[in-house]
Amino acid sequence: MSTFVDVALPAAVRKQFTYHVPKELMASVQPGQRVWIPFRNYYAIGVIIGVHNQTPSFKTKPLRKILDEEPLLSQELLKLTKWISRFYYSSWGETIQAALPAGLNFVSRKYLKVSESVDDTGLREDQKEIVEDLRQSDTTLNEAKKRYKGTGLNKVFSNLLKKKIIEIWEEPDLKVTVATEREWIWAEGRTEESVQKFLESENANNDLKWVEALAHIAERIPLRQSEISEDSVLTSYTLKKLRDEDWITYQDVEKNTEIDHLSHEPESIKTLNEDQEKAFKKIGESLTKEEFANYLLFGITGSGKTEVYIHALKQVVENGKGGIVLVPEIALTPQTVSRFYRIFGDQIAVLHSRMTNRERLQAWKDLNSGKKSIAIGPRSAVFAPVQNLGLIILDEEHDSSYKQMDPAPRYHARETAIVRARENNAVVIMGSATPSMQALNMAAKGKCEMLELTKRHAEAKLPEVEVLDLKQYRGAMRGELAVPLFMAMEEALKKGEQIILLYNRRGYASYLQCEDCGHIPQSPECSVSLTYHKRKNLLMCHYSGYSRRADTKCEHCGSPNLKVQGSGTQNIEEQLGDLFPEAKVIRFDRDSTSRKGAHEQILNTFGEGKADILIGTQLVAKGLDFPNVTVVGVIDTDTELAFPSFQATERMYQLLSQVSGRSGRGEKAGTVFLQSRQPENPAIQFAKKHDHRGFARQEMEFRKPLNYPPYSRLIRFELKSVKEQEVSQAAHQLTSSVGRVVPELAVLGPSPGAIPWMNKKYIWEVTLKIDPEKGAGYIEAVVEKIMEVYDAETKGRFSSVRVNVNVDAIQ
């Protein structure tokens, strides 16, 4: 009986491809392995998702080769990725691509190989030349095209491809090289004792810089280059001189990861207070029973949610199981990781985008092999191959970064974590000081159990919140600061206390504007104005990545009178330097933290008291714990309301509550100042009172009659095209198709996107509101039918238009 495999490819096509297995591979083939398969005119990499004996109705091609001895994806992860592909309407291959780390996924290059069946004697001389050329070195398809283009061999090369004398194979694009650094060691025959003998001898001239460096380095060898980057004695000159004098040499060693230097003190685990113990006891009972349970840990900022997570993880690990800790990407600071590492040490594997591909691949392998049992990372860590999974923690569950927007699969980590935990009889803890409306609705419907932490740890109290009406302070401003905030900062600095300021705009200013004609420079790739970055003198689009040197003249009328309008974090940083010349100010935003390790360096500087004021975007609102911070200021609370979204008020409330929680976390009382032109806004008033329940009640009352989430699921069809008229017509046609398939559903649109032109493409949207109780099968069937009707009615008329489906769309 023949054996067949179904293979998933990382393409947008939502179907699998069936191949038969040659006899010599039958004993090795397993679901979850990567394989080479003939696909179109080349050999592609796919993943086996099923092995069976059902002969298909069409002629099959043979599987060519298996790339992995053992499956990369377990049956559990294959099942999870299948659910995601159905519920979030993506291809199974795209979902598997998201679940695998670089080096093991589908990212590949097309290489050329000479077919094994080629008989050289039958080739012409010009054909032999190319064949020999390709046999001698690994050559990609793109390299070969460039090599033979414009030469007499170009047609010969194309002909060899057509006749399949040369085959195209996808090879994994590893790019996973070991990162190394220089480590200084003693030269042969040298020791610390011989150095001391030399330094005490008459031959040592202590006035020479290299002799001083030799004394300085003597007790520190072996010494890594990264450990002496700011050493004024061990300079490039003195190190070279010591090497020339044959005292030291170097070797290349693997760089330490960001957690290698963290301290491991398992005995330092904190005793839980009464509230924490009550919450942990409930969670612990479910962990002991090894049954699925979902908890919403609703704890005010500074109430010690992390300590509850740690105690739950400790119980899981002691029972021989593993856990996943999900945190928003921007909250994944060394400060966050170090709290878990202190208790669990080398059992932790960190996975996030600022790591190198090699580091992520190693972390993935350590988890897959069982060497490590706890994964910490952003939303993609929900796929971590943790063995014997017992617990998934979703910290700051309300954060919008848990939703993947582009590319597919457009999954939400919260829903995915719940599905994965249910399949593993594991426990989910969703923690937040400002739970999302969806999580609160789940608790109201009994789909999760709410546990509360109502007090801050130790003697810390919630900060006092003052709302400053900027309309009243127009004549009493110090730059962007209203006088009460300025005076509070002055007083805090006198006492040696620290300050955090939030301004949710990057760059130096919002935009440049011509004073003569009013023109504002726009991105040539998006329908947004360009942000001015003073230090680099650049105009940048934060949506497409486009940038150019700042204009000196108006591109519209030629006037040199360009004025900086608005402000950004760089501008505020500059103003603070003028207002508080004695204070050390540091900036914390995506621009200042773009270098690897910059996050840690900035936060360490502030945490060690080497800086007085931390100014930043929403990064400063997430999970930072600095006991000496007594003043927090939000320079403009209204920025979140500017974006057209039903969630704008919720996001503003959450941001204000989270950043308020950075103040008064130690013994010293804290004060928060919220500057606004809309001080009566409910989000601001509820944030002032630390009243999340009151805010949630009002927000739910607003959403229910409009049937917005959590009272519905939003399914958004996003249409993109370089042709404006075509995408508009396609959106209207899609709306018509929706009406034919599900006439009872509420439809929003068709309408241009919130940013109607991005990356040189026009964007239109059609959004459905669907019953939130509908599962993967219903959503998949409805969307499939809509797309089927749309394709039948358009008959390829809108070939330039791409339609993306976003289930659980957020704005």
Side-chain angles (χ1 to χ4, degrees):
M1 185 179 284
S2 297
T3 299
F4 299 90
V5 291
D6 294 327
V7 176
L9 292 168
V13 181
R14 299 186 71 253
K15 68 175 185 177
Q16 290 77 55
F17 301 88
T18 303
Y19 295 82
H20 66 262
V21 182
K23 285 182 181 178
E24 64 272 17
L25 297 178
M26 279 187 186
S28 308
V29 73
Q30 298 176 69
Q33 291 171 315
R34 289 175 304 166
V35 290
W36 266 317
I37 51 169
F39 184 73
R40 294 180 182 150
N41 64 341
Y42 65 99
Y43 287 95
I45 298 174
V47 167
I48 298 173
I49 55 172
V51 181
H52 58 86
N53 298 315
Q54 297 170 3
T55 305
S57 58
F58 51 87
K59 186 179 179 183
T60 57
K61 294 180 179 179
L63 193 70
R64 186 63 184 265
K65 191 174 180 182
I66 299 171
L67 276 87
D68 309 299
E69 288 184 19
E70 297 295 326
L72 294 181
L73 287 173
S74 63
Q75 283 294 336
E76 181 236 337
L77 282 173
L78 278 173
K79 194 172 182 179
L80 180 70
T81 51
K82 182 179 182 180
W83 175 84
I84 290 172
S85 72
R86 294 186 64 205
F87 190 71
Y88 292 103
Y89 202 76
S90 59
S91 80
W92 200 345
E94 286 174 318
T95 311
I96 290 171
Q97 167 94 318
L100 290 172
L104 292 179
N105 58 18
F106 298 110
V107 177
S108 60
R109 289 205 246 175
K110 289 177 180 174
Y111 280 85
L112 299 175
K113 293 183 180 180
V114 178
S115 174
E116 293 173 3
S117 60
V118 169
D119 180 4
D120 289 15
T121 57
L123 298 178
R124 300 194 313 265
E125 285 304 313
D126 53 0
Q127 292 175 324
K128 282 183 182 177
E129 183 181 341
I130 292 176
V131 166
E132 284 304 313
D133 187 20
L134 297 179
R135 277 178 175 152
Q136 286 174 16
S137 63
D138 289 337
T139 305
T140 68
L141 178 61
N142 287 337
E143 287 168 349
K145 284 180 176 178
K146 286 178 186 175
R147 186 182 302 171
Y148 303 122
K149 186 178 180 181
T151 71
L153 293 175
N154 195 30
K155 281 188 179 178
V156 181
F157 172 68
S158 299
N159 191 254
L160 289 173
L161 279 174
K162 200 175 289 183
K163 291 182 175 179
K164 298 198 173 173
I165 292 171
I166 298 171
E167 298 173 339
I168 303 171
W169 290 70
E170 278 192 342
E171 292 274 7
D173 191 10
L174 293 172
K175 289 186 180 176
V176 183
T177 54
V178 175
T180 61
E181 67 173 320
R182 188 171 286 188
E183 182 181 60
W184 295 99
I185 57 176
W186 292 123
E188 191 175 346
R190 303 293 194 179
T191 62
E192 189 179 336
E193 289 74 25
S194 62
V195 170
Q196 292 302 329
K197 192 178 288 186
F198 167 75
L199 292 173
E200 292 165 4
S201 71
E202 296 178 359
N203 297 326
N205 182 350
N206 293 322
D207 293 332
L208 294 175
K209 287 186 177 179
W210 71 266
V211 175
E212 182 190 358
L214 182 62
H216 190 63
I217 203 173
E219 295 179 3
R220 299 171 67 189
I221 276 187
L223 186 65
R224 289 173 178 251
Q225 189 68 36
S226 58
E227 297 170 338
I228 55 176
S229 55
E230 296 180 11
D231 197 304
S232 59
V233 178
L234 298 175
T235 62
S236 55
Y237 164 76
T238 56
L239 288 168
K240 183 178 183 302
K241 186 67 176 171
L242 287 172
R243 190 174 167 222
D244 292 344
E245 294 290 333
D246 201 30
W247 282 103
I248 62 173
T249 186
Y250 67 84
Q251 60 186 7
D252 289 328
V253 294
E254 190 173 335
K255 270 190 176 180
N256 287 328
T257 67
E258 62 182 55
I259 64 173
D260 285 340
H261 64 281
L262 297 176
S263 58
H264 179 211
E265 303 163 10
E267 69 285 349
S268 67
I269 190 167
K270 294 179 181 176
T271 304
L272 300 179
N273 64 28
E274 187 180 343
D275 267 5
Q276 292 169 324
E277 184 62 46
K278 189 177 175 183
F280 168 63
K281 186 178 179 184
K282 194 77 181 173
I283 294 165
E285 287 171 2
S286 295
L287 292 172
T288 301
K289 292 176 186 174
E290 297 190 358
E291 63 182 18
F292 169 72
N294 187 9
Y295 294 101
L296 173 59
L297 186 61
F298 177 17
I300 61 172
T301 55
S303 59
K305 292 183 289 294
T306 303
E307 296 307 321
V308 177
Y309 301 156
I310 286 171
H311 278 258
L313 269 175
K314 189 169 185 287
Q315 180 173 333
V316 165
V317 171
E318 285 173 351
N319 289 343
K321 293 200 158 198
I324 296 173
V325 181
L326 300 178
V327 295
E329 175 86 38
I330 58 176
L332 192 63
T333 61
Q335 191 181 47
T336 304
V337 174
S338 66
R339 294 177 72 178
F340 289 95
Y341 192 88
R342 187 175 294 118
I343 307 303
F344 300 105
D346 287 338
Q347 289 166 298
I348 283 177
V350 179
L351 300 152
H352 63 83
S353 62
R354 289 174 186 265
M355 296 168 68
T356 64
N357 286 342
R358 177 195 63 83
E359 289 169 340
R360 272 183 285 178
L361 179 60
Q362 189 58 55
W364 189 92
K365 286 181 174 178
D366 288 344
L367 291 165
N368 199 39
S369 66
K371 182 180 176 183
K372 298 192 175 187
S373 57
I374 300 171
I376 300 181
R379 64 173 175 262
S380 59
V382 75
F383 298 114
V386 172
Q387 303 301 296
N388 205 7
L389 184 64
L391 176 67
I392 302 179
I393 295 164
L394 218 86
D395 191 31
E396 311 288 7
E397 70 77 29
H398 65 273
D399 198 280
S400 60
S401 70
Y402 282 127
K403 169 67 175 172
Q404 164 77 3
M405 299 305 287
D406 279 309
R410 296 171 180 85
Y411 66 96
H412 199 298
R414 180 182 56 230
E415 314 302 324
T416 305
I418 291 168
V419 169
R420 187 172 183 190
R422 185 179 282 114
E423 288 296 321
N424 285 274
N425 290 318
V427 172
V428 176
I429 306 174
M430 305 182 294
S432 178
T434 55
S436 64
M437 299 303 108
Q438 284 84 345
L440 290 173
N441 193 53
M442 286 166 65
K445 288 186 171 182
K447 293 185 176 182
C448 68
E449 184 175 347
M450 187 186 292
L451 308 172
E452 290 191 68
L453 303 178
T454 57
K455 301 188 189 83
R456 281 193 154 189
H457 57 79
E459 300 301 313
K461 292 183 174 63
L462 283 168
E464 182 184 334
V465 180
E466 287 191 31
V467 180
L468 305 178
D469 185 351
L470 290 176
K471 297 192 295 291
Q472 295 180 8
Y473 285 99
R474 282 176 188 161
M477 300 291 289
R478 299 290 186 273
E480 298 287 331
L481 309 178
V483 163
L485 173 55
F486 171 80
M487 292 174 66
M489 291 172 67
E490 235 181 2
E491 186 65 26
L493 292 171
K494 282 178 188 173
K495 293 179 182 176
E497 296 166 354
Q498 291 174 296
I499 298 154
I500 291 178
L501 294 179
L502 180 143
Y503 190 50
N504 211 15
R505 284 184 187 169
R506 290 158 60 191
Y508 182 78
S510 296
Y511 52 89
L512 291 180
Q513 186 170 27
C514 176
E515 291 192 284
D516 292 343
C517 73
H519 175 73
I520 298 169
Q522 299 279 310
S523 168
E525 299 177 1
C526 303
S527 52
V528 294
S529 60
L530 292 166
T531 301
Y532 177 48
H533 288 251
K534 184 180 181 183
R535 288 196 178 162
K536 296 177 183 177
N537 195 33
L538 290 178
L539 292 174
M540 297 179 69
C541 172
H542 290 155
Y543 291 95
S544 66
Y546 169 85
S547 67
R548 70 171 189 244
R549 303 299 294 177
D551 302 339
T552 55
K553 292 182 180 180
C554 175
E555 60 185 344
H556 186 67
C557 73
S559 167
N561 299 322
L562 295 179
K563 187 178 180 182
V564 175
Q565 302 284 18
S567 56
T569 46
Q570 289 181 28
N571 192 358
I572 303 295
E573 181 186 19
E574 199 172 276
Q575 287 182 26
L576 292 172
D578 295 333
L579 292 170
F580 306 105
E582 302 299 317
K584 166 76 172 168
V585 181
I586 51 176
R587 182 165 50 88
F588 192 55
D589 56 23
R590 288 207 183 277
D591 298 315
S592 65
T593 59
S594 55
R595 286 183 300 104
K596 188 180 179 187
H599 262 91
E600 183 175 13
Q601 188 178 350
I602 291 170
L603 294 177
N604 282 347
T605 299
F606 193 68
E608 291 165 7
K610 295 176 183 175
D612 305 299
I613 304 173
L614 180 67
I615 166 74
T617 54
Q618 59 175 320
L619 290 171
V620 302
K622 309 288 182 176
L624 304 181
D625 189 354
F626 298 113
N628 197 36
V629 171
T630 57
V631 173
V632 167
V634 181
I635 291 170
D636 188 350
T637 62
D638 308 330
T639 53
E640 285 298 313
L641 295 177
F643 196 78
S645 166
F646 73 92
Q647 292 178 298
T649 306
E650 181 184 6
R651 274 205 294 260
M652 182 170 83
Y653 171 81
Q654 288 167 341
L655 186 64
L656 296 183
S657 296
Q658 293 289 333
V659 76
S660 296
R662 302 313 112 208
S663 178
R665 294 178 76 91
E667 295 175 5
K668 301 171 184 176
T671 310
V672 179
F673 295 87
L674 307 180
Q675 298 190 163
S676 173
R677 292 170 189 81
Q678 304 177 50
E680 68 290 340
N681 186 290
I684 294 174
Q685 290 303 316
F686 283 117
K688 178 181 178 179
K689 295 181 284 189
H690 307 287
D691 182 9
H692 186 67
R693 272 199 166 81
F695 171 76
R697 269 195 303 273
Q698 179 166 305
E699 187 68 11
M700 293 288 204
E701 286 171 11
F702 157 69
R703 293 190 190 185
K704 191 169 187 178
L706 298 171
N707 200 27
Y708 274 122
Y711 301 106
S712 68
R713 284 191 186 280
L714 296 186
I715 300 179
R716 181 178 300 131
F717 296 85
E718 187 181 66
L719 299 90
K720 294 183 178 182
S721 173
V722 293
K723 298 178 181 178
E724 186 174 11
Q725 188 174 0
E726 204 162 285
V727 74
S728 167
Q729 291 172 348
H732 282 84
Q733 181 60 64
L734 182 63
T735 307
S736 173
S737 302
V738 170
R740 281 197 243 303
V741 176
V742 276
E744 71 280 6
L745 288 187
V747 182
L748 302 176
S751 60
I755 299 173
W757 190 58
M758 187 187 298
N759 293 324
K760 298 182 179 179
K761 289 183 179 176
Y762 296 94
I763 302 168
W764 277 67
E765 296 173 350
V766 178
T767 304
L768 308 186
K769 292 178 180 177
I770 201 166
D771 184 348
E773 299 303 316
K774 300 295 186 183
Y778 177 81
I779 289 173
E780 184 180 36
V782 164
V783 177
E784 283 273 19
K785 189 64 180 174
I786 289 169
M787 293 307 298
E788 184 183 312
V789 171
Y790 167 78
D791 289 338
E793 292 181 338
T794 58
K795 294 177 181 173
R797 280 188 294 127
F798 306 128
S799 57
S800 75
V801 178
R802 172 159 184 165
V803 182
N804 293 326
V805 180
N806 189 353
V807 176
D808 278 344
I810 59 174
Q811 293 175 304

